[in-house]
Amino acid sequence: MFVHYIDLGWRSLKRTPVVSLLMLLAIAIGIGITMTSLSVYHMMSVNPMPHKNDQLFAVQLRTMDQGVDWWTPDDLPFQLTYQDAMNLRKSPVPFRQAAMLKTGFGVKPANPDISPFIETARAADSDFFAMYEVPFAYGAPWDKAVDLQGEAVAVIGAELNQKLFGGGNNIGKDIVLDSVSYRIIGILKAWKLEPQIYDLNNGAWGQNEQLFIPFSLLPIQELKSWGNNNGWKYEEQKTYQDKLNSEVLWLQYKVELADKQAQQDYRDYLAGYIKEQQQLGRFQRDDAEGDIKNIAQWLDYRQIVSDDNKILVGLSFMFLAVCLANILSLLLAKFLKRAPEIGVRRALGASKTQVFAQHLVEVGMLGLAGGALGLVIAQLGLYLLRSGFSRYEAVAQMDLAMWLAAPTISLLACLLAGCYPAWKVCRTTPALYLKTQ
Amino acid sequence: MLTMTNISKVYRSEMVQTHALRDFNLQVNEGEFIAVTGPSGSGKTTFLNIAGMLETYTSGTYQLDDVDVGRLSDNGRAELRNQKIGFIFQGFNLIPDLNLYENVEVPLRYRGIKAAERKRRIERCLEQVGLGARAKHLPAQLSGGQQQRVAIARALAGEPRFLLADEPTGNLDSLMARQVMELLENINKDGATIIMVTHDPELARRAERNIQVVDGQICDFKLYQGGLEKQRAGAEA
């Protein structure tokens, strides 16, 4: 019977082409606009590592002097000082932990045909790769010993490997960064982690770094920060060591905690650390404290999805509701015009349920077709966003969930709008129309 | 087979109550051909609609093949209607964008009959009404008489025990009307029970039994001689 209803629905849509087209356009435009804003929202709010949501944590410390406020709701800075990062690295509580910094180099390729170029890099502890499940094509991260003493080794991404060597296993070869030679010990597979949860200070979207070196090289190579440096008091910095000893907040610090007990233990550890530093004369404020935030909390805290985006999604759904209201009235008029035919069908044995189902199938077809056309409109909308606003390049995309959501939302929305007209027409009193036809 | 006892139907509006049927009693036996006559507004069509379960009644009891129709749900009535009753309307009531084959197929689909059986029945019924060659035509391509024959084929396809005809010749000229009447008589001879509402006294006379409805009540029973004899002969057999 379902196939028959599809046949009847198709005939009905063809019978009133203008009305059908109007309804199709209404739902398609509604879905197109809704899916455009929803896709951006979805891509922005997506947790890229939901399975590690309660294991990976960002570490924050309120270390400023009394009377110095931060601009965050809880008065906690996003980053840490070098001193604190180095101290926290000694904690035995985290299963894994990584201090890190966005930096960069001038790369001088061995191949004379390739011109030197600038490449951003990440200086991080070796746990970084396991914490963020960075996949290796060849080699492995550096040893824990390198995290302590520093060694000029590097892990490069698949793209950089292609650019420098044309791909393949190039473990053991050297890469020259700012005139210093680094031995390549690992080559990554193609990899993408968006939003870039390990460092939201320097743009949540865009390509992940293609070059990784040990964090322990920071004092040795005097690595410069290519990210944010947040100072809250005047400190004279004549040497690199001055910066390392300063209260400038410029490093990201992440920990992986195995379970709730470890989380509590780490909070206690941070509290102990604050107390210890206060006794040493640092952290001269009454409410000095540490905090950890999991991935979802961190994304929300850093307002990766702005209120504007949320409002836009709300508005687009309201627009969809207006489209549905129009569809509802068109369907009502169309279905009621067909009441005499329904009267005949009822007289010939159709139950109310069958009449209702017949009309819902027709509405469902409209919903699916509208969803498909809506997807095209949404793709156009996302393309315009990508072309017009570079910051939307990474997020004005549709993933599989959104591709499936479009026809689903369209179908459900149309069924919702079609319920009342279908119910109304299935309650037709057949006798009323049989004599008048 | 069909028994109505004290059936009444009242249409209520804010201002008035209209008694379309009152204390309507009727028993119809298997194989009868009954003509229902009466002035306009007397309740003929209301009776036919209630008999066909297209309308509910206000009070009384109605039994169709020992099933108490009053106790059935809307879906139950639709199922019973689909299985036991065929309709023929004055205005034919064919679905305009379905061809003849598809029009005849409508009640069979609702009954859930399989495609091969549907095809067999539709072809047989269209042949029976002389339109086998025009199965792919749309109703608008046929004359009024032909359309009514399609409607009859549609009613017959479900192999109903009851055929309810509401002025089936009302929109036809006399020649077409005669052809349709002959077709109904043949169907009746094949065993279907027919109740036909008509204004035409000549057609009414051709039925076995004639019921006159006035002001929502049966006012007279005229059992024609031919019908009587036929019934008696049937009883003796």
Side-chain angles (χ1 to χ4, degrees):
Chain A
M1 213 55 186
F2 182 71
V3 176
H4 180 56
Y5 291 154
I6 290 177
D7 180 41
L8 291 179
W10 175 239
R11 285 167 191 253
S12 167
L13 292 171
K14 278 198 303 185
R15 198 187 307 159
T16 51
V18 177
V19 176
S20 301
L21 189 66
L22 276 176
M23 290 192 289
L24 184 70
L25 284 176
I27 185 71
I29 292 170
I31 286 293
I33 289 173
T34 303
M35 291 314 297
T36 303
S37 64
L38 196 61
S39 295
V40 172
Y41 177 84
H42 171 71
M43 291 302 283
M44 281 183 163
S45 59
V46 72
N47 183 339
M49 298 185 79
H51 56 290
K52 277 196 151 182
N53 186 59
D54 291 325
Q55 289 164 41
L56 292 179
F57 293 84
V59 181
Q60 293 176 278
L61 294 173
R62 192 184 294 122
T63 62
M64 307 82 72
D65 285 347
Q66 195 76 34
V68 178
D69 296 328
W70 214 257
W71 59 83
T72 51
D74 54 5
D75 227 9
L76 283 160
F78 305 131
Q79 303 189 101
L80 300 189
T81 64
Y82 180 75
Q83 294 181 71
D84 291 325
M86 293 307 285
N87 290 335
L88 293 184
R89 282 170 103 210
K90 293 171 192 157
S91 169
V93 180
F95 175 52
R96 295 187 180 108
Q97 56 192 327
M100 62 187 93
L101 166 77
K102 183 182 182 181
T103 183
F105 300 96
V107 182
K108 189 180 173 194
N111 183 347
D113 296 338
I114 306 171
S115 306
F117 56 90
I118 300 289
E119 185 71 37
T120 57
R122 180 150 297 269
D125 286 319
S126 58
D127 276 349
F128 171 87
F129 300 98
M131 287 168 74
Y132 295 100
E133 298 173 348
V134 186
F136 276 76
Y138 305 105
W142 47 85
D143 294 334
K144 285 273 185 195
V146 176
D147 286 334
L148 299 175
Q149 63 201 25
E151 191 180 325
V153 291
V155 169
I156 61 172
E159 239 174 77
L160 186 58
N161 185 42
Q162 186 69 31
K163 187 172 179 179
L164 289 173
F165 307 109
N169 185 349
N170 297 293
I171 298 293
K173 289 186 181 172
D174 286 344
I175 178 172
V176 178
L177 309 174
D178 284 354
S179 309
V180 178
S181 187
Y182 289 72
R183 182 166 47 86
I184 296 170
I185 60 162
I187 296 170
L188 303 180
K189 291 179 181 169
W191 172 66
K192 193 174 179 185
L193 186 68
E194 280 184 332
Q196 217 163 266
I197 47 174
Y198 53 82
D199 184 4
L200 296 173
N201 298 299
N202 301 300
W205 315 100
Q207 204 187 31
N208 299 112
E209 289 92 352
Q210 289 287 308
L211 182 57
F212 298 86
I213 56 166
F215 180 79
S216 48
L217 289 174
L218 204 79
I220 301 167
Q221 302 292 349
E222 298 194 353
L223 300 176
K224 291 182 179 59
S225 167
W226 282 30
N228 296 338
N229 294 268
N230 306 123
W232 50 269
K233 68 175 181 181
Y234 175 74
E235 291 173 291
E236 198 164 331
Q237 292 176 21
K238 290 187 173 171
T239 64
Y240 194 78
Q241 191 59 44
D242 288 343
K243 183 168 185 181
L244 298 182
N245 295 337
S246 74
E247 295 295 338
V248 173
L249 303 153
W250 57 310
L251 303 173
Q252 299 87 51
Y253 202 86
K254 311 291 173 188
V255 290
E256 182 170 347
L257 301 167
D259 51 30
K260 284 203 182 307
Q261 183 58 50
Q263 290 169 31
Q264 188 52 51
D265 290 349
Y266 196 68
R267 285 180 197 278
D268 293 343
Y269 171 82
L270 290 179
Y273 174 71
I274 299 267
K275 200 170 275 180
E276 178 196 274
Q277 291 296 306
Q278 283 176 326
Q279 283 166 359
L280 292 170
R282 287 182 74 212
F283 306 172
Q284 295 305 312
R285 62 184 295 153
D286 301 335
D287 60 348
E289 65 169 350
D291 192 24
I292 52 173
K293 291 186 176 72
N294 68 22
I295 300 174
Q297 289 167 335
W298 192 239
L299 289 169
D300 185 47
Y301 181 75
R302 298 305 312 272
Q303 293 186 304
I304 294 306
V305 183
S306 67
D307 286 345
D308 291 353
N309 288 101
K310 290 175 187 167
I311 290 168
L312 202 61
V313 171
L315 285 174
S316 65
F317 269 100
M318 282 164 72
F319 180 74
L320 180 63
V322 172
C323 293
L324 289 180
N326 281 299
I327 290 170
L328 191 149
S329 30
L330 286 168
L331 281 173
L332 196 60
K334 180 184 163 121
F335 286 177
L336 289 182
K337 198 179 166 196
R338 204 194 291 165
E341 179 195 320
I342 298 309
V344 175
R345 287 187 179 277
R346 296 271 289 123
L348 296 177
S351 64
K352 282 181 183 173
T353 314
Q354 285 170 318
V355 172
F356 187 74
Q358 177 194 329
H359 288 85
L360 271 199
V361 168
E362 180 179 337
V363 174
M365 289 168 66
L366 189 71
L368 285 177
L373 189 58
L375 270 174
V376 175
I377 294 172
Q379 285 301 320
L380 182 70
L382 292 171
Y383 169 76
L384 291 175
L385 271 180
R386 285 195 300 269
S387 326
F389 306 93
S390 58
R391 70 177 186 277
Y392 280 109
E393 247 173 51
V395 290
Q397 310 275 353
M398 261 193 184
D399 62 5
L400 180 65
M402 287 294 105
W403 276 98
L404 295 175
T408 308
I409 292 174
S410 180
L411 180 67
L412 292 177
C414 274
L415 289 178
L416 189 69
C419 267
Y420 178 66
W423 175 78
K424 192 88 179 155
V425 76
C426 84
R427 289 174 58 83
T428 299
T429 307
L432 207 63
Y433 297 98
L434 298 174
K435 195 83 176 172
T436 56
Q437 271 206 25
Chain B
M1 190 181 178
L2 180 155
T3 310
M4 286 184 176
T5 311
N6 296 328
I7 289 286
S8 66
K9 174 71 180 177
V10 182
Y11 293 107
R12 289 188 175 89
S13 67
E14 284 181 12
M15 302 294 288
V16 288
Q17 284 192 11
T18 308
H19 291 263
L21 290 181
R22 57 180 91 203
D23 295 330
F24 194 96
N25 292 288
L26 178 68
Q27 169 131 11
V28 178
N29 298 315
E30 184 128 27
E32 277 194 289
F33 191 154
I34 297 174
V36 181
T37 57
S40 293
S42 59
K44 303 186 297 293
T45 299
T46 302
F47 152 67
L48 208 65
N49 286 338
I50 289 173
M53 293 174 283
L54 295 174
E55 276 189 69
T56 53
Y57 44 91
T58 311
S59 64
T61 56
Y62 170 27
Q63 290 208 314
L64 184 68
D65 276 350
D66 297 328
V67 175
D68 187 349
V69 171
R71 290 179 184 277
L72 293 176
S73 66
D74 184 80
N75 283 353
R77 288 198 298 274
E79 193 179 335
L80 192 63
R81 183 162 63 235
N82 180 254
Q83 286 174 352
K84 301 208 170 186
I85 294 175
F87 282 100
I88 302 167
F89 307 99
Q90 181 181 1
F92 324 134
N93 286 348
L94 299 175
I95 298 173
D97 54 354
L98 300 184
N99 63 32
L100 306 194
Y101 186 99
E102 291 163 336
N103 261 291
V104 178
E105 195 178 27
V106 172
L108 306 183
R109 286 224 180 238
Y110 290 123
R111 202 186 285 189
I113 293 173
K114 292 203 166 112
E117 174 64 9
R118 286 204 304 268
K119 185 169 186 286
R120 190 187 65 75
R121 285 196 194 193
I122 295 163
E123 286 173 352
R124 177 173 56 78
C125 292
L126 283 175
E127 285 297 334
Q128 195 176 343
V129 298
L131 291 166
R134 309 190 74 170
K136 297 294 172 191
H137 285 65
L138 291 171
Q141 295 170 305
L142 305 181
S143 69
Q146 287 171 323
Q147 287 191 44
Q148 193 56 297
R149 275 149 58 193
V150 177
I152 292 170
R154 181 176 64 186
L156 291 179
E159 296 177 354
R161 297 184 60 200
F162 261 103
L163 209 53
L164 304 181
D166 192 359
E167 301 193 39
T169 58
N171 282 356
L172 305 178
D173 61 35
S174 57
L175 178 64
M176 292 285 189
R178 208 160 43 244
Q179 286 176 357
V180 166
M181 195 58 199
E182 281 166 11
L183 196 54
L184 291 177
E185 284 168 343
N186 288 337
I187 293 162
N188 177 240
K189 276 178 197 158
D190 289 342
T193 306
I194 298 178
I195 300 176
M196 177 180 72
V197 167
T198 183
H199 274 115
D200 187 336
E202 194 167 325
L203 292 181
R205 268 197 295 278
R206 290 171 69 166
E208 290 170 3
R209 185 149 62 118
N210 195 339
I211 297 167
Q212 281 195 330
V213 180
V214 176
D215 288 340
Q217 287 182 307
I218 297 175
C219 74
D220 193 9
F221 256 61
K222 286 184 180 172
L223 208 54
Y224 285 86
Q225 194 60 37
L228 260 178
E229 282 171 6
K230 190 178 170 185
Q231 275 195 338
R232 282 173 189 154
E236 283 166 12

